[in-house]
Amino acid sequence: MSAEATSILLFSDTHIGFDHAPNNKPGKNRRRGPDFFQNFKYVIDKAIELKVDYLIHCGDVFEKQSVPTFLVDQTYAEFLRIANAGIKLVIVPGNHERSVLPPSLFLNHDNIYIFDSPQTFSFPDLSVSGFPYYRGDIRSLFPSYKEEIESQLNPENFNLLCVHHAIDGVKAGFNFFEFRNRKDTLDINDLPGQFDLILSGHIHKHQILNTTNSMGDSVPIIYSGSTERTMFDEIDEVKGYHTFKVEGKKFKHQFHPITTRSMHRIDLKSKSIQVEQVADFLVEQIANFDRDSIVQLIAEEEAILYELSRLKTNGFFANTMNITISGFSVLHRFKQE
């Protein structure tokens, strides 16, 4: 690519606030919140290191609409660092933040652009269109959104559409569930319109779909995926971010993996194990796990479940691990942290 190429970094679904201590103080049991912020900051650092022209976040910056103020401030401080580096930051609010980011004076920076309605941000070399997550029948509504934002496009620019939605054909989960023909899913036949590239968040699995424009050219739909694993359905998924180099109407792109902590499942449901054998069985199972692992213990018998909870409470597992016990039928009798 020539020196005039426009550079873009895409990431999404950072879920800041996931399993974070409300007071930001470490407790008895390790929480995963710092993992999420660490990977978020890693991507911010990469964008600055690479000196990209644009950083695009395709939604779910935060885990929920209301997160502790200190986390909002820390997150926006990183956004401000990007903006002060001369990088234009474009954000699509997602469903977890209920389509609106927490307010802050930090967001008033001239280099920060947030989709609070269907619109197009026009830059000298790029047009970036999008809209916040719509909780409803987006399938029916999208054609009117598209008409509105396409009317603002510069046909000479490279035109991006950024959304936070499932699109027909996208897959998620360990069983690769495919979204298609749903009210909360964009009709792939409505795409790409006049857009040269489509970027989306919402689906945590990195993947690329393809649609075709009126000229018969293939237009990629790129999901960069989340930057951390939020659930065990994502146990085998590689997390990361995407970079792009754009020249005229052509572009090259690359996915960049991020190092994440290993995840493991130990299923005791199908094992003929007595309560007194549980500890020895677990010692054998976790012998080759990283001490930093995230582990899910699955059981069905109440006696086994309570033995697992006893071992967890009594420090049987390394305190560097995250241990989740799944299968309790009487949840109110045991509080998992």
Side-chain angles (χ1 to χ4, degrees), residues 134-142 182-184:
Y134 180 76
R135 190 179 298 274
D137 187 356
I138 188 62
R139 197 174 191 85
S140 298
L141 184 63
F142 177 69
R182 293 161 50 115
K183 289 183 177 181
D184 62 353

Side-chain angles (χ1 to χ4, degrees), residues 171-235:
K171 297 178 180 179
F174 70 95
N175 60 348
F176 300 107
F177 173 82
E178 183 174 314
F179 289 79
R180 193 174 291 277
N181 300 320
R182 293 161 50 115
K183 289 183 177 181
D184 62 353
T185 302
L186 294 175
D187 188 339
I188 197 167
N189 294 321
D190 289 333
L191 297 167
Q194 298 177 37
F195 299 105
D196 300 301
L197 177 63
I198 299 160
L199 310 178
S200 187
H202 192 46
I203 303 301
H204 289 189
K205 181 180 177 60
H206 160 63
Q207 59 200 285
I208 300 175
L209 308 178
N210 280 285
T211 186
T212 306
N213 64 20
S214 59
M215 303 294 292
D217 299 322
S218 178
V219 176
I221 300 168
I222 296 180
Y223 286 85
S224 63
S226 59
T227 52
E228 250 297 353
R229 300 184 181 104
T230 61
M231 52 188 172
F232 280 88
D233 280 1
E234 302 172 36
I235 192 168

Side-chain angles (χ1 to χ4, degrees), residues 58-73:
C58 267
D60 283 353
V61 173
F62 298 104
E63 169 63 11
K64 53 188 176 181
Q65 186 179 34
S66 177
V67 296
T69 302
F70 73 86
L71 268 181
V72 175
D73 290 344

Side-chain angles (χ1 to χ4, degrees), residues 12 57 91 110 115 121 129 168 177 181 205 281 314 316:
S12 184
H57 193 300
I91 304 171
D110 287 345
F115 289 110
F121 298 124
S129 302
D168 284 343
F177 173 82
N181 300 320
K205 181 180 177 60
F281 174 76
N314 292 347
F316 175 84

Side-chain angles (χ1 to χ4, degrees), residues 154-179:
N154 179 349
E156 301 301 317
N157 275 357
F158 186 85
N159 293 315
L160 274 174
L161 174 63
C162 301
V163 299
H164 186 85
H165 276 282
I167 299 171
D168 284 343
V170 73
K171 297 178 180 179
F174 70 95
N175 60 348
F176 300 107
F177 173 82
E178 183 174 314
F179 289 79

Side-chain angles (χ1 to χ4, degrees), residues 24-144:
N24 204 27
K25 295 180 180 179
K28 179 181 178 182
N29 295 319
R30 181 175 184 178
R31 289 179 176 266
R32 294 194 57 214
D35 301 343
F36 284 76
F37 194 84
Q38 176 180 302
N39 281 1
F40 164 76
K41 187 176 181 300
Y42 175 84
V43 178
I44 297 291
D45 290 341
K46 277 295 179 183
I48 292 173
E49 176 189 328
L50 295 171
K51 298 180 180 178
V52 298
D53 299 305
Y54 299 89
L55 176 62
I56 297 175
H57 193 300
C58 267
D60 283 353
V61 173
F62 298 104
E63 169 63 11
K64 53 188 176 181
Q65 186 179 34
S66 177
V67 296
T69 302
F70 73 86
L71 268 181
V72 175
D73 290 344
Q74 288 176 7
T75 301
Y76 288 171
E78 294 300 316
F79 285 164
L80 197 60
R81 197 157 65 91
I82 281 289
N84 286 338
I87 297 169
K88 290 179 172 58
L89 171 63
V90 181
I91 304 171
V92 182
N95 59 301
H96 274 253
E97 52 245 347
R98 295 188 177 272
S99 309
V100 180
L101 293 181
S104 171
L105 291 175
F106 285 180
L107 299 181
N108 292 334
H109 196 288
D110 287 345
N111 280 338
I112 297 179
Y113 301 81
I114 301 172
F115 289 110
D116 55 10
S117 62
Q119 59 189 300
T120 295
F121 298 124
S122 294
F123 305 106
D125 50 354
L126 194 72
S127 293
V128 185
S129 302
F131 53 88
Y133 178 83
Y134 180 76
R135 190 179 298 274
D137 187 356
I138 188 62
R139 197 174 191 85
S140 298
L141 184 63
F142 177 69
S144 63

